[in-house]
Amino acid sequence: MPQFAYQAINENGATVSGTIEAESPETANNMLIARGYIPARISAAGSLAETGFVARLNDMFGSVKPQELILFTKQLRTMLMAGIPIIRLLQVLEAQTQNKILKKVIAQVGADIKQGSTLVDALEKHPKVFSPLYRSMVNAGEISGTVPDILDRLGYILEHEFRIKSDIKAALQYPIIVLVALSVAFIVLLTFVIPKFVGIFAKAGLTLPWPTKIAMLLYQFLHNYWYLLLAGIVLAIFLLRNFFKTGKGKLMRDTLLLQIPLMGPLFQKAAMSRFASIFSILQASGVQVMTTMKVLIGTIGNAAIAREFERIQEMMQQGQGIAAPLRSAKFFPPMVVDMVAIGE
């Protein structure tokens, strides 16, 4: 059975560390909680140095990884359930967090709460770390007085989304590898193989077929004007990247992504899974339907589907319910619409 190195906080508030045998990090986390500890960090035994090195690399790029946010959410919930005051637990989380960006954010959240801010108001100041979904759910928890329960549901949905994104990346790896291999093979064929055969054909006095002539023209262009081709590719990437940052560009890009054979349905199913999970959890948390739709517009992850949500929201404001607007919208499978209609 694998071993995991851990750091945790005991009943006296002191930091303890050691190793524990468990089937997975989640099992190790539950075992430590059963012992009365508050887990702070769990990693595969013998990989602490590697974890620290990876964390330093992440700090250089200035980002908070989804796994780190999930761990922060779980730790926050566990400490709230243990009855630790919010200021004290934020100090503990700040001390235990390896990511410098997240450490700084936690410190600022704690300072704002000390000055009288609510938790959601403190989180609002860090939109790059805490998404609209995250902030909306914390807000619902503060209003209803069930922050630990909300954080439990939030941790589930963050893990669910991270797993879906990982599955999509894994599914895209093979097509990307195939495209790269074909591109490399085409360039090698064009620059090394075809010129040698052309020389042989020329000596034999044979007339080259049109495909071979076209390939030779491409070879000559690549050989003589490769720098123009490279500059054109770099310029195209730069222009497309800036265009896709605009609202019109995002809408065009995401609409095209949904129309790609094989990949398009995968993106659509991922968006529908996210819609169902977020909608269900926000409704169970007491968030109003219109607020839920507003959150979905900002968190669905696809501009084309978000545009449909905006139209659905307008129809709902006119009193048309939920199922009817969904039925008239694009990208929503009949099963999703029927299940929503049954629930409504």
Side-chain angles (χ1 to χ4, degrees), residues 7-32:
Q7 289 182 350
I9 302 169
N10 61 17
E11 297 176 353
N12 300 323
T15 301
V16 295
S17 60
T19 59
I20 186 173
E21 290 187 355
E23 295 180 354
S24 65
E26 290 76 13
T27 305
N29 184 81
N30 295 333
M31 292 172 65
L32 291 172

mmCIF file of all heavy atoms in Angstrom, residues 7-32:
data_model
loop_
_atom_site.group_PDB
_atom_site.id
_atom_site.type_symbol
_atom_site.label_atom_id
_atom_site.label_comp_id
_atom_site.label_asym_id
_atom_site.label_seq_id
_atom_site.Cartn_x
_atom_site.Cartn_y
_atom_site.Cartn_z
ATOM 1 N N GLN A 7 1.437 16.814 6.617
ATOM 2 C CA GLN A 7 1.558 17.835 7.645
ATOM 3 C C GLN A 7 0.147 18.186 8.073
ATOM 4 O O GLN A 7 -0.731 18.392 7.223
ATOM 5 C CB GLN A 7 2.280 19.074 7.129
ATOM 6 C CG GLN A 7 3.774 18.858 6.900
ATOM 7 C CD GLN A 7 4.478 20.120 6.441
ATOM 8 O OE1 GLN A 7 3.835 21.111 6.119
ATOM 9 N NE2 GLN A 7 5.801 20.083 6.399
ATOM 10 N N ALA A 8 -0.087 18.249 9.382
ATOM 11 C CA ALA A 8 -1.431 18.490 9.886
ATOM 12 C C ALA A 8 -1.355 19.284 11.187
ATOM 13 O O ALA A 8 -0.275 19.528 11.736
ATOM 14 C CB ALA A 8 -2.155 17.162 10.107
ATOM 15 N N ILE A 9 -2.528 19.689 11.649
ATOM 16 C CA ILE A 9 -2.639 20.453 12.892
ATOM 17 C C ILE A 9 -3.401 19.600 13.888
ATOM 18 O O ILE A 9 -4.494 19.099 13.583
ATOM 19 C CB ILE A 9 -3.375 21.786 12.652
ATOM 20 C CG1 ILE A 9 -2.621 22.601 11.598
ATOM 21 C CG2 ILE A 9 -3.527 22.574 13.933
ATOM 22 C CD1 ILE A 9 -3.389 23.792 11.097
ATOM 23 N N ASN A 10 -2.815 19.422 15.073
ATOM 24 C CA ASN A 10 -3.478 18.583 16.066
ATOM 25 C C ASN A 10 -4.472 19.385 16.909
ATOM 26 O O ASN A 10 -4.740 20.565 16.631
ATOM 27 C CB ASN A 10 -2.435 17.898 16.962
ATOM 28 C CG ASN A 10 -1.582 18.905 17.737
ATOM 29 O OD1 ASN A 10 -1.944 20.084 17.859
ATOM 30 N ND2 ASN A 10 -0.449 18.451 18.253
ATOM 31 N N GLU A 11 -5.036 18.751 17.944
ATOM 32 C CA GLU A 11 -6.073 19.388 18.751
ATOM 33 C C GLU A 11 -5.557 20.614 19.497
ATOM 34 O O GLU A 11 -6.331 21.511 19.842
ATOM 35 C CB GLU A 11 -6.625 18.376 19.755
ATOM 36 C CG GLU A 11 -7.318 17.178 19.094
ATOM 37 C CD GLU A 11 -7.773 16.156 20.101
ATOM 38 O OE1 GLU A 11 -7.426 16.325 21.299
ATOM 39 O OE2 GLU A 11 -8.476 15.205 19.710
ATOM 40 N N ASN A 12 -4.252 20.673 19.756
ATOM 41 C CA ASN A 12 -3.667 21.810 20.474
ATOM 42 C C ASN A 12 -3.248 22.949 19.556
ATOM 43 O O ASN A 12 -2.702 23.946 20.021
ATOM 44 C CB ASN A 12 -2.448 21.337 21.290
ATOM 45 C CG ASN A 12 -2.830 20.280 22.312
ATOM 46 O OD1 ASN A 12 -3.905 20.351 22.910
ATOM 47 N ND2 ASN A 12 -1.947 19.300 22.520
ATOM 48 N N GLY A 13 -3.454 22.774 18.254
ATOM 49 C CA GLY A 13 -3.080 23.816 17.295
ATOM 50 C C GLY A 13 -1.639 23.729 16.831
ATOM 51 O O GLY A 13 -1.173 24.613 16.102
ATOM 52 N N ALA A 14 -0.922 22.668 17.252
ATOM 53 C CA ALA A 14 0.477 22.510 16.841
ATOM 54 C C ALA A 14 0.553 21.756 15.519
ATOM 55 O O ALA A 14 -0.304 20.937 15.195
ATOM 56 C CB ALA A 14 1.259 21.755 17.919
ATOM 57 N N THR A 15 1.618 22.035 14.767
ATOM 58 C CA THR A 15 1.831 21.369 13.484
ATOM 59 C C THR A 15 2.564 20.054 13.704
ATOM 60 O O THR A 15 3.602 20.015 14.382
ATOM 61 C CB THR A 15 2.642 22.262 12.537
ATOM 62 O OG1 THR A 15 1.935 23.487 12.323
ATOM 63 C CG2 THR A 15 2.846 21.587 11.195
ATOM 64 N N VAL A 16 2.031 18.979 13.150
ATOM 65 C CA VAL A 16 2.654 17.664 13.254
ATOM 66 C C VAL A 16 2.863 17.143 11.835
ATOM 67 O O VAL A 16 2.195 17.564 10.890
ATOM 68 C CB VAL A 16 1.781 16.689 14.062
ATOM 69 C CG1 VAL A 16 1.648 17.148 15.498
ATOM 70 C CG2 VAL A 16 0.392 16.556 13.431
ATOM 71 N N SER A 17 3.801 16.230 11.685
ATOM 72 C CA SER A 17 4.085 15.651 10.373
ATOM 73 C C SER A 17 4.447 14.185 10.538
ATOM 74 O O SER A 17 4.784 13.725 11.641
ATOM 75 C CB SER A 17 5.230 16.406 9.691
ATOM 76 O OG SER A 17 6.409 16.336 10.476
ATOM 77 N N GLY A 18 4.365 13.438 9.463
ATOM 78 C CA GLY A 18 4.697 12.027 9.493
ATOM 79 C C GLY A 18 4.279 11.366 8.203
ATOM 80 O O GLY A 18 4.060 12.029 7.189
ATOM 81 N N THR A 19 4.164 10.052 8.223
ATOM 82 C CA THR A 19 3.729 9.296 7.044
ATOM 83 C C THR A 19 2.550 8.420 7.425
ATOM 84 O O THR A 19 2.392 8.042 8.593
ATOM 85 C CB THR A 19 4.865 8.424 6.484
ATOM 86 O OG1 THR A 19 5.308 7.518 7.507
ATOM 87 C CG2 THR A 19 6.028 9.279 6.015
ATOM 88 N N ILE A 20 1.741 8.105 6.430
ATOM 89 C CA ILE A 20 0.564 7.279 6.668
ATOM 90 C C ILE A 20 0.333 6.414 5.439
ATOM 91 O O ILE A 20 0.570 6.847 4.312
ATOM 92 C CB ILE A 20 -0.668 8.167 6.966
ATOM 93 C CG1 ILE A 20 -1.869 7.307 7.360
ATOM 94 C CG2 ILE A 20 -1.004 9.053 5.784
ATOM 95 C CD1 ILE A 20 -3.059 8.133 7.835
ATOM 96 N N GLU A 21 -0.100 5.182 5.658
ATOM 97 C CA GLU A 21 -0.403 4.269 4.566
ATOM 98 C C GLU A 21 -1.874 4.411 4.186
ATOM 99 O O GLU A 21 -2.756 4.328 5.043
ATOM 100 C CB GLU A 21 -0.102 2.824 4.960
ATOM 101 C CG GLU A 21 1.382 2.515 5.099
ATOM 102 C CD GLU A 21 1.641 1.031 5.318
ATOM 103 O OE1 GLU A 21 0.647 0.290 5.447
ATOM 104 O OE2 GLU A 21 2.809 0.624 5.350
ATOM 105 N N ALA A 22 -2.130 4.604 2.902
ATOM 106 C CA ALA A 22 -3.503 4.747 2.421
ATOM 107 C C ALA A 22 -3.547 4.430 0.935
ATOM 108 O O ALA A 22 -2.523 4.442 0.255
ATOM 109 C CB ALA A 22 -4.023 6.161 2.680
ATOM 110 N N GLU A 23 -4.752 4.155 0.451
ATOM 111 C CA GLU A 23 -4.906 3.813 -0.967
ATOM 112 C C GLU A 23 -4.801 5.033 -1.869
ATOM 113 O O GLU A 23 -4.414 4.920 -3.027
ATOM 114 C CB GLU A 23 -6.254 3.126 -1.184
ATOM 115 C CG GLU A 23 -6.368 1.779 -0.479
ATOM 116 C CD GLU A 23 -7.717 1.127 -0.707
ATOM 117 O OE1 GLU A 23 -8.582 1.790 -1.318
ATOM 118 O OE2 GLU A 23 -7.903 -0.030 -0.268
ATOM 119 N N SER A 24 -5.147 6.212 -1.340
ATOM 120 C CA SER A 24 -5.138 7.435 -2.136
ATOM 121 C C SER A 24 -4.983 8.634 -1.215
ATOM 122 O O SER A 24 -5.169 8.508 0.007
ATOM 123 C CB SER A 24 -6.436 7.565 -2.948
ATOM 124 O OG SER A 24 -7.530 7.721 -2.071
ATOM 125 N N PRO A 25 -4.647 9.816 -1.760
ATOM 126 C CA PRO A 25 -4.569 11.015 -0.921
ATOM 127 C C PRO A 25 -5.884 11.330 -0.224
ATOM 128 O O PRO A 25 -5.885 11.802 0.915
ATOM 129 C CB PRO A 25 -4.190 12.118 -1.922
ATOM 130 C CG PRO A 25 -3.513 11.406 -3.041
ATOM 131 C CD PRO A 25 -4.192 10.087 -3.140
ATOM 132 N N GLU A 26 -7.046 11.073 -0.893
ATOM 133 C CA GLU A 26 -8.339 11.335 -0.274
ATOM 134 C C GLU A 26 -8.550 10.431 0.939
ATOM 135 O O GLU A 26 -9.041 10.875 1.989
ATOM 136 C CB GLU A 26 -9.463 11.121 -1.289
ATOM 137 C CG GLU A 26 -9.525 12.156 -2.403
ATOM 138 C CD GLU A 26 -8.459 11.939 -3.453
ATOM 139 O OE1 GLU A 26 -7.836 10.841 -3.455
ATOM 140 O OE2 GLU A 26 -8.236 12.856 -4.272
ATOM 141 N N THR A 27 -8.152 9.147 0.797
ATOM 142 C CA THR A 27 -8.268 8.225 1.930
ATOM 143 C C THR A 27 -7.363 8.657 3.076
ATOM 144 O O THR A 27 -7.757 8.613 4.252
ATOM 145 C CB THR A 27 -7.911 6.798 1.479
ATOM 146 O OG1 THR A 27 -8.727 6.425 0.367
ATOM 147 C CG2 THR A 27 -8.124 5.804 2.612
ATOM 148 N N ALA A 28 -6.140 9.087 2.753
ATOM 149 C CA ALA A 28 -5.226 9.575 3.791
ATOM 150 C C ALA A 28 -5.803 10.792 4.494
ATOM 151 O O ALA A 28 -5.702 10.931 5.716
ATOM 152 C CB ALA A 28 -3.875 9.910 3.158
ATOM 153 N N ASN A 29 -6.442 11.686 3.731
ATOM 154 C CA ASN A 29 -7.060 12.873 4.315
ATOM 155 C C ASN A 29 -8.153 12.479 5.315
ATOM 156 O O ASN A 29 -8.223 13.016 6.430
ATOM 157 C CB ASN A 29 -7.644 13.738 3.199
ATOM 158 C CG ASN A 29 -8.229 15.039 3.706
ATOM 159 O OD1 ASN A 29 -7.515 16.000 3.944
ATOM 160 N ND2 ASN A 29 -9.546 15.084 3.864
ATOM 161 N N ASN A 30 -8.993 11.520 4.931
ATOM 162 C CA ASN A 30 -10.072 11.068 5.827
ATOM 163 C C ASN A 30 -9.524 10.368 7.061
ATOM 164 O O ASN A 30 -10.081 10.515 8.166
ATOM 165 C CB ASN A 30 -11.015 10.140 5.063
ATOM 166 C CG ASN A 30 -11.747 10.849 3.934
ATOM 167 O OD1 ASN A 30 -11.958 12.057 3.999
ATOM 168 N ND2 ASN A 30 -12.115 10.106 2.896
ATOM 169 N N MET A 31 -8.442 9.612 6.897
ATOM 170 C CA MET A 31 -7.845 8.919 8.041
ATOM 171 C C MET A 31 -7.273 9.917 9.049
ATOM 172 O O MET A 31 -7.391 9.730 10.272
ATOM 173 C CB MET A 31 -6.754 7.964 7.561
ATOM 174 C CG MET A 31 -7.292 6.774 6.763
ATOM 175 S SD MET A 31 -5.993 5.760 6.010
ATOM 176 C CE MET A 31 -5.176 5.123 7.482
ATOM 177 N N LEU A 32 -6.661 10.989 8.542
ATOM 178 C CA LEU A 32 -6.112 12.000 9.440
ATOM 179 C C LEU A 32 -7.224 12.729 10.186
ATOM 180 O O LEU A 32 -7.104 13.028 11.387
ATOM 181 C CB LEU A 32 -5.265 12.995 8.648
ATOM 182 C CG LEU A 32 -3.948 12.444 8.084
ATOM 183 C CD1 LEU A 32 -3.293 13.467 7.156
ATOM 184 C CD2 LEU A 32 -2.991 12.090 9.218
#
